[in-house]
Amino acid sequence: MNRPTVASREEWLAARISLLAEEKAITHRLDELAAKRRALPMVAIDKEYVFEGPTGRTTLPELFDGRRQLIVYHMMWRWDLDAGCPSCAMLLDNVGHLAHLNAQDTTFAAVSRGPWETLDRYRERMGWTFPMYSSFDSDFNYDFHVTQDESRAPVEYNYRTKAELEARGHSYHGAGEQPGTSVFWRDDDGAVFHTYSSYGRGGDILIGTHQYLDLTPLGRQKHVGEALHHDSYGKAESHCH
């Protein structure tokens, strides 16, 4: 176990003030990045995507629930577990009270390729109350590069081609289910646009548990891929691939 060294209060304060300068610099840089993210152009969604949810079949515009903005978390479906990926589940466990997003004209929803009946049972097991939909019979996952199948769409993940992924030793991102986050905008006439997507560690900022642990001496302790479903700690369960 990595235990911090012991120092006097004066030595600790000097080190803390030095670190504070770095923290402030990063905070300002993150503000700048957020402004650039908001300024990205957007692309019209011309294809009709159909999902299945608690009220039956629904479309992408309907996922907005009457609001201007939609954030979609692409949850990996683990066919071997007949459940969602444990690491994705950890992220979704950190979704806060949606009233705060809704008040900002924004809807949050999780989308996964798991068949709806199985996905709904999994949602109940996890105790989640946010909107969740199945994209099982849709091109949605393929078009947004979170399900890799060359017979459906060219392999691409985190804006890299299959060849680029293989060259970097990341060929595991070129097959099967992958995580991601996508953002959409809806005009008054109902037209929908894609504004942003992030993949891989881009979703790390959404995991409040990690942000809390980063404040502590022990940090995250485990690799993100070692996360378990919250009802499986102390039990044997396969980790995310």
Side-chain angles (χ1 to χ4, degrees), residues 3-34:
R3 179 175 178 272
T5 58
V6 178
S8 68
R9 175 59 60 175
E10 291 74 19
E11 290 171 325
W12 175 87
L13 184 59
R16 178 65 189 95
I17 290 174
S18 176
L19 180 61
L20 179 61
E22 295 184 55
E23 289 176 334
K24 285 182 175 290
I26 289 176
T27 297
H28 293 317
R29 180 61 180 139
L30 289 173
D31 289 342
E32 293 171 358
L33 285 172

Side-chain angles (χ1 to χ4, degrees), residues 171-192:
S171 57
Y172 51 87
H173 281 316
E177 306 290 326
Q178 305 295 330
T181 307
S182 293
V183 181
F184 301 90
W185 172 273
R186 185 180 62 85
D187 270 346
D188 291 336
D189 61 2
V192 172

Side-chain angles (χ1 to χ4, degrees), residues 174-239:
E177 306 290 326
Q178 305 295 330
T181 307
S182 293
V183 181
F184 301 90
W185 172 273
R186 185 180 62 85
D187 270 346
D188 291 336
D189 61 2
V192 172
F193 301 84
H194 175 220
T195 69
Y196 179 79
S197 283
S198 67
Y199 303 93
R201 287 202 64 187
D204 189 60
I205 60 173
L206 303 177
I207 305 177
T209 299
H210 286 171
Q211 312 311 316
Y212 280 111
L213 288 172
D214 283 346
L215 302 177
T216 70
L218 290 179
R220 304 184 186 189
Q221 304 174 60
K222 295 179 180 292
H223 185 271
V224 63
E226 296 177 345
L228 298 179
H229 287 114
H230 62 240
D231 60 356
S232 297
Y233 286 104
K235 304 176 184 178
E237 181 183 88
S238 297
H239 293 156

Side-chain angles (χ1 to χ4, degrees), residues 60-71 97-109 130-131 133 184-193:
L60 183 59
E62 290 172 326
L63 262 58
F64 283 75
D65 197 21
R67 300 184 181 92
R68 179 77 64 185
Q69 301 182 130
L70 170 67
I71 300 171
H97 201 299
L98 294 184
H100 302 294
L101 283 176
N102 296 165
Q104 299 291 327
D105 210 10
T106 303
T107 295
F108 174 88
F130 50 75
Y133 302 92
F184 301 90
W185 172 273
R186 185 180 62 85
D187 270 346
D188 291 336
D189 61 2
V192 172
F193 301 84

Side-chain angles (χ1 to χ4, degrees), residues 85-94 207 209-210 213 227-228 233:
C85 164
S87 293
C88 288
M90 182 182 183
L91 184 150
L92 290 170
D93 281 339
N94 282 267
I207 305 177
T209 299
H210 286 171
L213 288 172
L228 298 179
Y233 286 104

